[in-house]
Amino acid sequence: MQVVSTELELRECLSSRRQAPIALVPTMGALHEGHLALIAKGRETAGEQGTLVVSIFVNPLQFDRKNDLEHYPRPLEQDLKNCEQAGVDVVFCPSSDNFYQPNHSVYVSENQLTKTLCGASRPGHFDGVCTVVLKLFNQVGCDYAIFGKKDYQQLKVIERMVRDLSHPVQLIPLDTIREDDGLALSSRNRRLSAEQRADAPRLYRALLAASHLATTGEQSVENYLNTARSFLEKAPLPEFKIDYLELLTATDLTAPSLVNQKVVLAVAAFYGEVRLIDNLEFDPTRAI
Ligand code: AMP
């Protein structure tokens, strides 16, 4: 496994590998089983002859809260061990000084899908995401890139960016990996106290309870949201706060008047300073 930290080193080490497929798994590190599932998919997609690249970069452009950026975990040594074990060929872990030019001034903006959910509650977040992801695609020159549905809106936005800017990369989405109690794996989970960690599965339980309504043919948006909200608000810890709870169409993340197509129910919530997100897709027309 090669570990490189500059674009020049990356291009040099990939120059002799361009005859076979290159797959990229972009991450911010603090790797967990969710990331490792993406990495396994990347390995399978690149094939034995191909190259699997994992990027580890805590991208300052996509953080809207200084506290979140400063406290984001960075266990690089352990991450490199995990990558080695998972059969990664190249790890790209730039520092933010050498990743962005000091006078970096070009950004990528998506202007429809980012109006809701994290786009609405984290100003500038998706400009940062699109900019870093497009830059990584260009630097790596990947044929494939693997993304998790855990960051559902991110996946939709990147799909739109790739389509609208005619990028040749093929995106591969992967389902959310969860703990046994349903909590979606996240690098931020390790910042939760024991009490908060024990409480955190309420996010998934709320989504699941609401999605079960689909089996009754329920079409009222409010009824889905009320069911989820009642689980979220049942005896929460004092520092628990809902950031958003929204039900949107899966195709273009707009608000449906009735739940009569594939939709996504998405939630974001704070435990003190730690913000968690989760989502669940379902289609009532197929659930009965
Ligand atoms: P991050 O390091 O949080 O930027 O995430 C890097 C990639 O891993 C993104 O494509 C995420 O959607 C994906 N990811 C994060 N958590 C999970 C999870 N629990 N299950 C599946 N994919 C995940």
Side-chain angles (χ1 to χ4, degrees), residues 36-88:
L36 294 180
L38 267 56
I39 290 173
K41 185 68 183 176
R43 184 67 276 164
E44 178 196 319
T45 306
E48 264 183 40
Q49 308 300 318
T51 301
L52 172 58
V53 181
V54 171
S55 60
I56 297 178
F57 179 52
V58 182
N59 173 33
L61 282 190
Q62 72 188 70
F63 282 79
D64 52 314
R65 290 180 304 126
K66 202 161 160 255
N67 177 287
D68 192 25
L69 174 61
E70 278 170 5
H71 291 94
Y72 202 86
R74 293 169 172 82
L76 185 60
E77 221 171 287
Q78 186 58 47
D79 284 348
L80 294 178
K81 278 190 198 142
N82 285 334
C83 285
E84 178 98 62
Q85 263 179 13
V88 174

Coordinates of all heavy atoms in Angstrom, one line a residue, residues 36-88:
L36 N -15.6 0.7 5.8 CA -15.0 -0.5 5.3 C -15.9 -1.3 4.3 O -15.3 -2.0 3.4 CB -14.6 -1.4 6.5 CG -13.5 -0.8 7.4 CD1 -13.2 -1.7 8.6 CD2 -12.2 -0.5 6.6
A37 N -17.2 -1.1 4.4 CA -18.1 -1.7 3.4 C -17.9 -1.1 2.1 O -17.9 -1.7 1.0 CB -19.5 -1.6 3.9
L38 N -17.7 0.3 2.1 CA -17.5 1.0 0.8 C -16.1 0.6 0.2 O -16.0 0.4 -1.0 CB -17.4 2.5 1.1 CG -18.7 3.3 0.9 CD1 -19.9 2.8 1.8 CD2 -18.4 4.8 1.2
I39 N -15.1 0.4 1.1 CA -13.8 0.0 0.7 C -13.9 -1.4 0.1 O -13.3 -1.7 -1.0 CB -12.8 0.1 1.8 CG1 -12.6 1.6 2.2 CG2 -11.5 -0.6 1.5 CD1 -11.7 1.9 3.4
A40 N -14.6 -2.3 0.7 CA -14.7 -3.7 0.2 C -15.4 -3.6 -1.2 O -15.0 -4.3 -2.1 CB -15.5 -4.6 1.1
K41 N -16.4 -2.8 -1.4 CA -17.1 -2.6 -2.7 C -16.1 -2.1 -3.7 O -16.1 -2.5 -4.9 CB -18.3 -1.7 -2.5 CG -19.2 -1.6 -3.7 CD -19.8 -2.9 -4.0 CE -20.6 -2.8 -5.3 NZ -21.2 -4.1 -5.7
G42 N -15.3 -1.1 -3.2 CA -14.3 -0.5 -4.1 C -13.3 -1.5 -4.6 O -12.9 -1.6 -5.8
R43 N -12.9 -2.4 -3.7 CA -11.9 -3.5 -4.0 C -12.5 -4.4 -5.1 O -11.9 -4.7 -6.1 CB -11.6 -4.2 -2.7 CG -10.5 -5.3 -2.8 CD -9.1 -4.8 -3.1 NE -8.8 -4.6 -4.5 CZ -7.8 -3.9 -5.0 NH1 -7.0 -3.3 -4.3 NH2 -7.7 -3.8 -6.3
E44 N -13.8 -4.8 -4.8 CA -14.5 -5.7 -5.7 C -14.6 -5.0 -7.1 O -14.4 -5.6 -8.2 CB -15.8 -6.0 -5.1 CG -16.7 -6.9 -5.9 CD -18.2 -6.8 -5.4 OE1 -18.3 -6.8 -4.1 OE2 -19.1 -6.8 -6.2
T45 N -15.0 -3.8 -7.1 CA -15.2 -3.0 -8.4 C -13.9 -2.8 -9.2 O -13.9 -3.0 -10.4 CB -15.8 -1.6 -8.0 OG1 -17.0 -1.8 -7.2 CG2 -16.2 -0.9 -9.3
A46 N -12.9 -2.5 -8.5 CA -11.6 -2.3 -9.2 C -11.1 -3.6 -9.8 O -10.4 -3.7 -10.8 CB -10.6 -1.6 -8.3
G47 N -11.4 -4.7 -9.0 CA -10.9 -6.0 -9.5 C -9.4 -6.2 -9.1 O -8.7 -5.2 -8.6
E48 N -8.9 -7.4 -9.3 CA -7.5 -7.7 -8.9 C -6.5 -6.9 -9.6 O -5.5 -6.5 -9.1 CB -7.2 -9.2 -9.1 CG -7.4 -10.0 -7.8 CD -7.1 -11.4 -8.1 OE1 -6.1 -11.7 -8.8 OE2 -7.9 -12.3 -7.6
Q49 N -6.8 -6.6 -10.9 CA -5.8 -5.9 -11.7 C -5.9 -4.3 -11.5 O -5.0 -3.6 -11.8 CB -6.1 -6.1 -13.2 CG -6.1 -7.6 -13.6 CD -4.8 -8.3 -13.2 OE1 -3.7 -7.7 -13.5 NE2 -4.9 -9.5 -12.7
G50 N -7.1 -3.9 -11.0 CA -7.3 -2.5 -10.9 C -6.8 -1.9 -9.6 O -6.1 -2.6 -8.8
T51 N -7.0 -0.6 -9.4 CA -6.4 0.1 -8.3 C -7.6 0.7 -7.4 O -8.5 1.3 -7.9 CB -5.6 1.3 -8.8 OG1 -4.5 0.7 -9.6 CG2 -4.9 2.1 -7.6
L52 N -7.4 0.5 -6.1 CA -8.4 1.0 -5.1 C -7.7 2.2 -4.4 O -6.7 2.0 -3.7 CB -8.8 0.0 -4.1 CG -9.7 0.5 -3.0 CD1 -10.9 1.2 -3.4 CD2 -10.0 -0.7 -2.1
V53 N -8.2 3.4 -4.5 CA -7.7 4.5 -3.8 C -8.7 5.0 -2.8 O -9.9 5.0 -3.0 CB -7.5 5.7 -4.8 CG1 -7.0 7.0 -4.1 CG2 -6.7 5.4 -6.0
V54 N -8.2 5.2 -1.5 CA -9.0 5.8 -0.5 C -8.5 7.1 -0.2 O -7.2 7.3 0.1 CB -9.0 4.9 0.8 CG1 -9.7 5.6 2.0 CG2 -9.7 3.6 0.5
S55 N -9.3 8.2 -0.2 CA -8.8 9.5 0.3 C -9.3 9.7 1.7 O -10.4 9.3 2.1 CB -9.3 10.6 -0.7 OG -10.7 10.6 -0.7
I56 N -8.4 10.3 2.5 CA -8.7 10.7 3.9 C -8.4 12.1 4.0 O -7.2 12.5 4.0 CB -7.9 9.8 4.9 CG1 -8.2 8.3 4.7 CG2 -8.1 10.3 6.3 CD1 -7.4 7.4 5.6
F57 N -9.5 12.9 4.1 CA -9.2 14.4 4.1 C -10.4 15.0 4.9 O -11.6 14.9 4.4 CB -9.1 14.9 2.7 CG -8.9 16.4 2.6 CD1 -7.9 17.0 3.4 CD2 -9.7 17.2 1.8 CE1 -7.7 18.4 3.3 CE2 -9.5 18.6 1.7 CZ -8.5 19.2 2.5
V58 N -10.1 15.7 6.0 CA -11.2 16.4 6.7 C -11.2 17.8 6.0 O -10.4 18.7 6.3 CB -10.8 16.5 8.2 CG1 -12.0 17.2 9.0 CG2 -10.6 15.1 8.8
N59 N -12.2 17.9 5.2 CA -12.3 19.0 4.2 C -12.9 20.3 4.9 O -14.1 20.3 5.2 CB -13.3 18.6 3.1 CG -13.6 19.8 2.2 OD1 -12.7 20.6 1.9 ND2 -14.8 19.8 1.6
P60 N -12.0 21.3 5.2 CA -12.5 22.4 6.0 C -13.7 23.2 5.3 O -14.5 23.7 5.9 CB -11.3 23.3 6.1 CG -10.3 22.8 5.2 CD -10.6 21.4 4.8
L61 N -13.7 23.1 3.9 CA -14.7 23.8 3.2 C -16.1 23.4 3.5 O -17.1 24.2 3.3 CB -14.5 23.6 1.7 CG -13.4 24.4 1.0 CD1 -13.6 24.2 -0.5 CD2 -13.4 25.8 1.3
Q62 N -16.3 22.2 4.0 CA -17.7 21.7 4.1 C -18.2 21.8 5.6 O -19.3 21.3 5.9 CB -17.8 20.3 3.6 CG -17.1 19.2 4.4 CD -17.2 17.9 3.7 OE1 -16.5 17.7 2.7 NE2 -18.0 16.9 4.2
F63 N -17.4 22.4 6.4 CA -17.8 22.5 7.9 C -18.4 23.9 8.1 O -17.7 24.9 7.8 CB -16.6 22.3 8.8 CG -16.2 20.8 9.0 CD1 -15.5 20.2 8.0 CD2 -16.7 20.1 10.1 CE1 -15.2 18.8 8.1 CE2 -16.4 18.8 10.2 CZ -15.6 18.1 9.2
D64 N -19.6 23.9 8.6 CA -20.2 25.2 8.9 C -20.0 25.6 10.4 O -20.3 26.7 10.8 CB -21.7 25.2 8.6 CG -22.4 24.0 9.2 OD1 -21.9 22.9 9.2 OD2 -23.5 24.2 9.8
R65 N -19.5 24.6 11.2 CA -19.3 25.0 12.6 C -17.9 24.7 13.0 O -17.4 23.6 12.8 CB -20.3 24.1 13.5 CG -21.7 24.6 13.4 CD -22.6 23.7 14.3 NE -22.5 22.3 14.0 CZ -22.2 21.4 14.9 NH1 -22.0 21.7 16.1 NH2 -22.1 20.1 14.5
K66 N -17.2 25.7 13.6 CA -15.8 25.6 13.9 C -15.5 24.4 14.9 O -14.6 23.7 14.8 CB -15.3 26.9 14.5 CG -13.9 27.2 14.4 CD -13.6 28.7 14.6 CE -12.1 28.9 15.1 NZ -11.9 29.2 16.5
N67 N -16.4 24.3 15.9 CA -16.3 23.3 16.9 C -16.3 21.9 16.3 O -15.5 21.0 16.7 CB -17.5 23.4 17.9 CG -17.5 22.4 18.9 OD1 -17.8 21.2 18.7 ND2 -17.1 22.7 20.2
D68 N -17.1 21.7 15.3 CA -17.3 20.4 14.6 C -15.9 20.0 13.9 O -15.4 18.9 14.0 CB -18.4 20.4 13.6 CG -18.8 19.1 13.1 OD1 -18.6 18.1 13.8 OD2 -19.4 19.0 12.0
L69 N -15.4 21.0 13.2 CA -14.1 20.8 12.4 C -13.0 20.5 13.4 O -12.2 19.6 13.2 CB -13.8 22.1 11.6 CG -12.5 22.1 10.9 CD1 -12.4 20.9 9.9 CD2 -12.3 23.4 10.1
E70 N -12.9 21.3 14.5 CA -11.8 21.2 15.4 C -11.9 19.8 16.2 O -10.8 19.2 16.4 CB -11.9 22.3 16.5 CG -11.2 23.6 15.9 CD -11.5 24.8 16.8 OE1 -12.0 24.6 17.9 OE2 -11.1 25.9 16.4
H71 N -13.1 19.3 16.4 CA -13.2 18.1 17.2 C -13.4 16.9 16.3 O -13.6 15.8 16.9 CB -14.3 18.2 18.2 CG -14.0 19.2 19.3 ND1 -14.4 20.5 19.3 CD2 -13.3 19.0 20.5 CE1 -13.9 21.1 20.4 NE2 -13.3 20.2 21.1
Y72 N -13.3 17.0 15.0 CA -13.5 15.9 14.2 C -12.3 14.9 14.4 O -11.2 15.3 14.4 CB -13.5 16.3 12.7 CG -14.3 15.3 11.8 CD1 -15.6 15.3 11.7 CD2 -13.6 14.2 11.3 CE1 -16.3 14.3 11.0 CE2 -14.2 13.2 10.6 CZ -15.6 13.3 10.4 OH -16.2 12.3 9.7
P73 N -12.6 13.6 14.7 CA -11.5 12.7 15.0 C -10.6 12.4 13.9 O -11.0 12.4 12.7 CB -12.3 11.4 15.4 CG -13.7 11.5 14.9 CD -14.0 13.0 14.7
R74 N -9.3 12.3 14.2 CA -8.3 12.1 13.1 C -7.3 11.0 13.5 O -6.1 11.3 13.6 CB -7.5 13.4 12.8 CG -8.4 14.5 12.2 CD -7.6 15.9 12.3 NE -8.3 16.9 11.6 CZ -9.3 17.7 12.0 NH1 -9.7 17.5 13.2 NH2 -9.8 18.7 11.3
P75 N -7.8 9.8 13.7 CA -6.9 8.7 14.1 C -6.1 8.1 12.9 O -6.4 6.9 12.5 CB -7.8 7.7 14.7 CG -9.1 7.9 13.9 CD -9.2 9.3 13.5
L76 N -5.2 8.8 12.3 CA -4.7 8.5 11.0 C -4.0 7.1 11.0 O -4.1 6.3 10.1 CB -3.7 9.6 10.4 CG -3.2 9.3 9.0 CD1 -4.3 9.2 8.0 CD2 -2.2 10.4 8.6
E77 N -3.2 6.9 12.1 CA -2.4 5.6 12.1 C -3.3 4.4 12.0 O -3.1 3.4 11.3 CB -1.6 5.6 13.4 CG -0.2 5.1 13.2 CD 0.6 5.3 14.5 OE1 1.0 6.4 14.8 OE2 0.8 4.3 15.2
Q78 N -4.4 4.4 12.8 CA -5.3 3.3 12.9 C -6.0 3.2 11.5 O -6.3 2.1 11.0 CB -6.4 3.5 14.0 CG -7.3 2.4 14.2 CD -6.6 1.0 14.5 OE1 -5.7 1.0 15.3 NE2 -7.0 0.0 13.8
D79 N -6.4 4.3 10.9 CA -7.0 4.3 9.6 C -6.1 3.7 8.5 O -6.6 2.9 7.7 CB -7.3 5.8 9.1 CG -8.5 6.4 9.8 OD1 -9.2 5.7 10.5 OD2 -8.7 7.6 9.7
L80 N -4.8 4.0 8.6 CA -3.9 3.4 7.6 C -3.8 1.8 7.8 O -3.8 1.1 6.8 CB -2.5 4.0 7.7 CG -2.4 5.5 7.3 CD1 -1.0 6.0 7.5 CD2 -2.9 5.7 5.9
K81 N -3.8 1.4 9.1 CA -3.8 0.0 9.3 C -5.1 -0.7 8.7 O -5.0 -1.7 8.1 CB -3.8 -0.3 10.9 CG -2.4 -0.2 11.4 CD -2.4 -0.7 12.9 CE -1.2 -0.2 13.6 NZ -1.4 0.2 15.0
N82 N -6.2 -0.1 9.0 CA -7.5 -0.6 8.4 C -7.4 -0.7 6.9 O -7.9 -1.6 6.3 CB -8.7 0.2 8.9 CG -9.0 0.0 10.4 OD1 -8.7 -1.1 10.9 ND2 -9.6 0.9 11.0
C83 N -6.9 0.4 6.3 CA -6.8 0.4 4.8 C -5.9 -0.7 4.3 O -6.3 -1.4 3.4 CB -6.3 1.7 4.3 SG -7.5 3.0 4.5
E84 N -4.8 -0.9 5.0 CA -3.8 -2.0 4.6 C -4.5 -3.3 4.6 O -4.5 -4.1 3.7 CB -2.6 -1.9 5.5 CG -1.6 -3.0 5.3 CD -0.4 -2.5 4.5 OE1 0.2 -1.5 5.0 OE2 -0.2 -3.0 3.4
Q85 N -5.2 -3.6 5.8 CA -5.9 -4.8 6.0 C -7.0 -5.1 4.9 O -7.3 -6.2 4.6 CB -6.6 -4.9 7.3 CG -5.7 -5.6 8.4 CD -6.4 -5.6 9.7 OE1 -7.5 -5.3 9.9 NE2 -5.6 -5.9 10.7
A86 N -7.6 -4.0 4.5 CA -8.8 -4.1 3.6 C -8.3 -4.2 2.1 O -9.1 -4.2 1.2 CB -9.7 -2.9 3.8
G87 N -7.0 -4.2 1.9 CA -6.5 -4.4 0.5 C -6.5 -3.1 -0.3 O -6.6 -3.1 -1.6
V88 N -6.4 -1.9 0.3 CA -6.3 -0.7 -0.4 C -4.9 -0.6 -1.1 O -3.9 -0.9 -0.5 CB -6.6 0.5 0.6 CG1 -6.4 1.8 -0.1 CG2 -8.0 0.4 1.2

